[in-house]
Amino acid sequence: MSLLELLQGTENHILPERYNHLSDREMEQRITALKAAFGERLFIPGHHYQKDEVIQFADASGDSLQLAQISAANKKAEYIVFCGVHFMAETADILTEDYQKVILPDMRAGCSMADMANITQTERGWTVMQEAFGDTILPLTYVNSTAAIKSFVGKHGGATVTSSNAKKMLEWAFTQKERILFLPDQHLGRNTAYDLGIPLDEMAVWNPIAEKFEFDGDDFDKVKVILWKGHCSVHENFTVTNIEEVRNTKPETNIIVHPECSREVVAKSDYAGSTNYIIKTLEAAEPGTSWAVGTEMNLVNRLTKIHSDKDVFSLNSMMCPCLTMNRIDLAHLLWSLESIEEGRMSNQIIVDPEDSKWAVLALNRMLERA
Ligand code: 13P
Ligand code: SF4
């Protein structure tokens, strides 16, 4: 690709200036009209971490597992405008048919965790792991990873997982091989393996930057889980100090966190589980109860509003929303829909066919068991 093409391509990904002068009301009216005009040709999935201004237009909202299932089941929509982050749109592209086009309203809506494992690092690390443990390792990847990593995992007999089914998928993985490589979130991997009864000294961390294992147990041969050294920059901001503050100031409060939080935070909380688990637990909670929630802020704010009969607040009072999720807003959603209407496809997500071929195996191994 020439430099000019590259620059033009980048320009195509930037919101045109005219959208900055529209009021929210104008944008909402236009989106409503466009949605009505497209009818079933258009489908808008929205992750629970999206802003309310976007979620109001979602045809379905859900966690990563639900959105993957919903995308795979939809055979009608010609255009899937994915309100979430890049890896979710890639997953939708992999799971949908060739005549369906997946669009991400803002190409900058990435995921810092997914960026912590690239395919070169993974292949290099895998070689060292094979030298250390032989052919005893099955790779699993959190869906929060690039299509290339999902493809690597699919090629090596492994599967994807989400926070809703990680336990089930780890159990399955141990029926296939003696050891697991878990990418790219060390915390979800560690918390899930620990729940399955694997002691911490049977887990090693793979540092992809230093290209070496981090292990402080006694017997390296006993390692059952290799955790990729990645994390979520949002969920890592919940700390044991936050928990102690809540315990000291509001001892009646229940503390519930997402398993992307560190082991120490999960261990000191009352409940831990996926986004969907957190939503369901709060739905089932008695009026008048108090809940400190350790997950993304757009969702916590929504839960606070929905459950006005309960005291629901963020475990970390200084918490911000996930900045990349937040890149999708009314203006970008409207721009996507108008681009489709004008016959210009901005921000289409197209996964490399070779990656897609292998990644779909990893995704289907999960969806069959989810
Ligand atoms: P889930 O939707 O699987 O709970 O994942 C949370 C998340 O961080 C999505 O990016
Ligand atoms: Fe990625 Fe964390 Fe944001 Fe989810 S919340 S998209 S894992 S950075």
Side-chain angles (χ1 to χ4, degrees):
M1 191 185 279
S2 72
L3 184 60
L4 181 63
E5 280 169 330
L6 201 69
L7 289 172
Q8 283 168 342
T10 317
E11 260 175 38
N12 283 342
H13 296 317
I14 295 172
L15 183 76
E17 173 61 20
R18 63 182 181 278
Y19 288 96
N20 295 327
H21 306 293
L22 297 173
S23 69
D24 283 1
R25 208 175 131 67
E26 266 175 301
M27 289 192 277
E28 284 172 348
Q29 282 171 345
R30 286 198 204 177
I31 294 171
T32 306
L34 283 163
K35 276 197 71 174
F38 279 117
E40 288 192 331
R41 290 174 62 217
L42 170 72
F43 186 67
I44 306 183
H47 190 271
H48 287 309
Y49 295 175
Q50 290 285 294
K51 296 177 185 187
D52 283 346
E53 67 185 49
V54 170
I55 283 292
Q56 65 175 323
F57 292 109
D59 294 306
S61 56
D63 65 4
S64 350
L65 176 62
Q66 291 165 320
L67 294 182
Q69 288 165 327
I70 289 165
S71 307
N74 186 313
K75 302 290 171 213
K76 281 194 183 149
E78 203 177 322
Y79 305 106
I80 297 175
V81 176
F82 208 106
C83 294
V85 288
H86 194 269
F87 73 80
M88 296 178 183
E90 278 191 333
T91 300
D93 184 52
I94 294 166
L95 293 174
T96 49
E97 307 294 330
D98 288 349
Y99 57 83
Q100 299 181 289
K101 296 177 177 61
V102 177
I103 293 120
L104 182 66
D106 188 342
M107 282 301 207
R108 297 168 308 166
C111 163
S112 53
M113 177 200 286
D115 291 343
M116 289 179 198
N118 69 41
I119 189 62
T120 310
Q121 291 169 330
T122 306
E123 279 166 352
R124 288 170 69 104
W126 184 250
T127 304
V128 180
M129 291 171 208
Q130 297 296 302
E131 280 162 11
F133 295 114
D135 181 22
T136 62
I137 314 167
L138 191 84
L140 290 181
T141 186
Y142 195 13
V143 285
N144 300 28
S145 54
T146 64
I149 300 293
K150 292 185 179 81
S151 163
F152 173 90
V153 166
K155 212 178 275 181
H156 290 86
T160 59
V161 317
T162 75
S163 50
S164 314
N165 58 26
K167 202 167 167 184
K168 203 187 278 181
M169 293 309 296
L170 250 78
E171 281 173 330
W172 166 78
F174 279 123
T175 66
Q176 307 295 303
K177 288 271 169 86
E178 207 179 309
R179 296 184 173 84
I180 291 170
L181 163 64
F182 192 95
L183 297 127
D185 183 14
Q186 58 169 312
H187 300 305
L188 180 63
R190 187 179 290 111
N191 286 321
T192 311
Y194 190 83
D195 267 4
L196 285 175
I198 298 172
L200 294 173
D201 65 1
E202 291 181 13
M203 301 183 208
V205 171
W206 174 255
N207 181 332
I209 308 294
E211 297 199 336
K212 61 175 191 189
F213 289 104
E214 293 175 5
F215 179 67
D216 47 22
D218 294 329
D219 189 352
F220 191 57
D221 287 341
K222 278 171 80 183
V223 165
K224 286 207 168 46
V225 181
I226 303 163
L227 303 163
W228 191 269
K229 196 171 185 176
H231 63 267
C232 165
S233 27
V234 174
H235 289 89
E236 269 220 340
N237 290 328
F238 296 104
T239 62
V240 169
T241 310
N242 297 146
I243 295 185
E244 284 164 357
E245 268 167 27
V246 172
R247 297 273 188 235
N248 289 336
T249 53
K250 288 182 144 197
E252 73 286 5
T253 298
N254 299 283
I255 298 179
I256 185 166
V257 300
H258 193 282
E260 285 175 18
C261 295
S262 72
R263 176 73 220 129
E264 296 72 27
V265 167
V266 168
K268 287 197 179 306
S269 299
D270 300 307
Y271 306 91
S274 66
T275 303
N276 202 32
Y277 169 85
I278 293 173
I279 293 171
K280 292 265 171 300
T281 306
L282 285 178
E283 272 168 16
E286 291 293 322
T289 49
S290 173
W291 293 85
V293 186
T295 193
E296 200 275 339
M297 205 58 207
N298 285 324
L299 176 61
V300 177
N301 285 336
R302 192 170 306 123
L303 291 170
T304 305
K305 255 191 248 164
I306 295 172
H307 299 290
S308 52
D309 59 340
K310 298 158 204 168
D311 180 24
V312 179
F313 56 94
S314 176
L315 175 59
N316 177 348
S317 56
M318 308 298 280
M319 199 66 193
C320 303
C322 170
L323 295 178
T324 47
M325 282 275 179
N326 253 21
R327 289 197 184 277
I328 315 289
D329 55 12
L330 279 179
H332 284 87
L333 179 55
L334 176 60
W335 174 42
S336 293
L337 301 186
E338 290 191 337
S339 301
I340 299 171
E341 191 197 28
E342 289 159 13
R344 288 182 296 103
M345 196 64 64
S346 302
N347 301 351
Q348 187 181 350
I349 301 294
I350 305 174
V351 174
D352 171 73
E354 184 62 17
D355 279 344
S356 196
K357 182 177 96 185
W358 292 105
V360 77
L361 293 180
L363 284 160
N364 282 339
R365 287 183 191 122
M366 171 185 80
L367 292 172
E368 281 158 17
R369 291 170 180 85

